Amino acid sequence: MNIIVLAKQTLDTEERILIKDGKVAEDGAKFILNPYDEYAVEEAIRQKEKNGGRITVLSVGPERSAEALRTALAMGADEAALISDEGLTDEYGVSLALAAYVRQHGCDLLLGGSFSVDNGAGQVAVRVAGLLGIPHTSSITRLEIDGGRAVVLRDAEGDSETVEVVLPALFTAQQGLNDPRYPSLPGIMKAKKKPFRCLQLADLGLSEADVAPRTERTSLSLPPDRPAGRRLSGEPKQQAAQLVRLLQTEGKLW
Ligand SMILES: Cc1cc2nc3c(=O)[nH]c(=O)nc-3n(C[C@H](O)[C@H](O)[C@H](O)COP(=O)(O)OP(=O)(O)OC[C@H]3O[C@@H](n4cnc5c(N)ncnc54)[C@H](O)[C@@H]3O)c2cc1C
């Protein structure tokens, strides 16, 4: 089975993020493999272990994204491809480039994350399925493959839905799908020798005009600082009364 995992390098949102000139300041920022894409990589490895095949991790991003792809290779993916072009900025262009690669190479199973933890549009993977004209199911928490069909369990806003899908198809991973492995030391060493392709738009038969962004980011800001905590005082009964009042007036619970 030929498996392609769509994987994006994201900012580590657990670390401090600074905005400078309307953009996230990259100096000192820490980058990681998008955690939802880690579930996708882990699932690809488990499916390969059961059904055989080959796993390619595919990304659109600047050169630094190679590090996230190396993490996926160290986990167990077989090869990586990185599409880098400054013209690829919005979900429209990024998904066009990813779909062009998949069309060129073909695959039986496409996996991605539910969303990226930095921009979080939740669009790219699903757009790729749309461009390829294949079925997709988002936010899956279980994947079982039997021949040319897949049965998936998906998280439907707290409820669970079981869906049967004909392959080739695309699925996006939700937390709970699996427990991603840590890359082992031998895995890290082996990753250095695995095939790693660097591509430009022209390699995919695309031009800058084809991927020209359809959206413009007009501003970017950090969430407001959280106000300091407040300590209640007095007898427990008085504190409970204060707490109820605060929840009503400031917590906006009623
Ligand atoms: C003018 C402009 C400039 C921008 N500049 C930047 C920038 O410098 N850096 C930046 O990170 N974003 C930038 N963006 C946002 C950019 O549009 C999104 O990062 C990108 O389209 C992916 O969307 P997302 O991160 O919300 O992913 P989502 O749609 O939330 O991702 C869902 C899933 O799709 C797959 N996926 C998403 N993106 C990729 C990718 N690049 N490669 C492989 N798989 C992917 C992954 O499986 C992921 O889990 C810019 C947007 C605009 C409009």
Side-chain angles (χ1 to χ4, degrees):
M1 187 164 50
N2 191 7
I3 309 173
I4 297 184
V5 182
L6 308 177
K8 183 188 165 188
Q9 188 193 44
T10 59
L11 287 159
D12 184 348
T13 50
E14 304 284 306
E15 299 283 318
R16 191 154 175 251
I17 291 173
L18 296 171
I19 293 184
K20 205 174 151 197
D21 304 328
K23 282 182 175 176
V24 172
E26 293 205 0
D27 291 352
K30 195 175 158 215
F31 293 93
I32 53 168
L33 171 61
N34 182 35
Y36 289 89
D37 302 352
E38 263 183 46
Y39 297 123
V41 173
E42 176 63 36
E43 195 58 32
I45 297 166
R46 292 182 186 201
Q47 293 301 330
K48 181 187 154 176
E49 282 164 0
K50 279 191 212 150
N51 303 304
R54 194 161 178 83
I55 305 165
T56 305
V57 271
L58 172 64
S59 192
V60 165
E63 273 176 32
R64 61 168 159 71
S65 310
E67 208 180 310
L69 291 178
R70 294 254 176 245
T71 303
L73 291 174
M75 285 170 74
D78 299 295
E79 58 184 273
L82 174 60
I83 307 165
S84 294
D85 194 290
E86 298 224 330
L88 288 165
T89 51
D90 70 352
E91 295 82 4
Y92 171 77
V94 170
S95 49
L96 264 181
L98 294 169
Y101 180 95
V102 179
R103 233 179 255 120
Q104 272 185 355
H105 295 265
C107 77
D108 308 297
L109 175 65
L110 257 170
L111 292 166
S114 275
F115 59 91
S116 71
V117 295
D118 54 2
N119 283 292
Q123 287 192 28
V124 171
V126 172
R127 275 173 176 263
V128 170
L131 288 164
L132 295 169
I134 60 170
H136 75 265
T137 308
S138 56
S139 294
I140 67 160
T141 52
R142 193 163 71 218
L143 170 62
E144 275 158 24
I145 291 180
D146 185 7
R149 299 181 96 78
V151 177
V152 297
L153 190 69
R154 69 176 296 272
D155 177 16
E157 292 288 322
D159 290 333
S160 300
E161 191 179 14
T162 304
V163 185
E164 195 178 318
V165 185
V166 176
L167 299 178
L170 178 145
F171 304 105
T172 64
Q174 177 60 285
Q175 188 174 12
L177 176 62
N178 52 46
D179 200 2
R181 68 196 68 193
Y182 287 106
S184 62
L185 190 57
I188 294 169
M189 300 312 286
K190 272 192 210 156
K192 293 182 182 167
K193 293 190 181 146
K194 290 186 178 175
F196 196 114
R197 235 171 284 149
C198 293
L199 303 163
Q200 298 286 311
L201 282 180
D203 299 313
L204 301 166
L206 292 170
S207 68
E208 293 277 336
D210 291 329
V211 299
R214 300 287 176 97
T215 48
E216 184 188 354
R217 181 187 281 161
T218 52
S219 71
L220 183 68
S221 57
L222 292 172
D225 285 339
R226 282 171 72 178
R230 204 180 305 174
R231 188 182 285 266
L232 304 179
S233 56
E235 293 299 314
K237 212 171 165 182
Q238 291 169 318
Q239 290 190 29
Q242 272 182 63
L243 181 62
V244 169
R245 188 175 45 76
L246 286 170
L247 287 171
Q248 284 174 329
T249 54
E250 297 181 25
K252 298 191 174 50
L253 286 189
W254 285 274

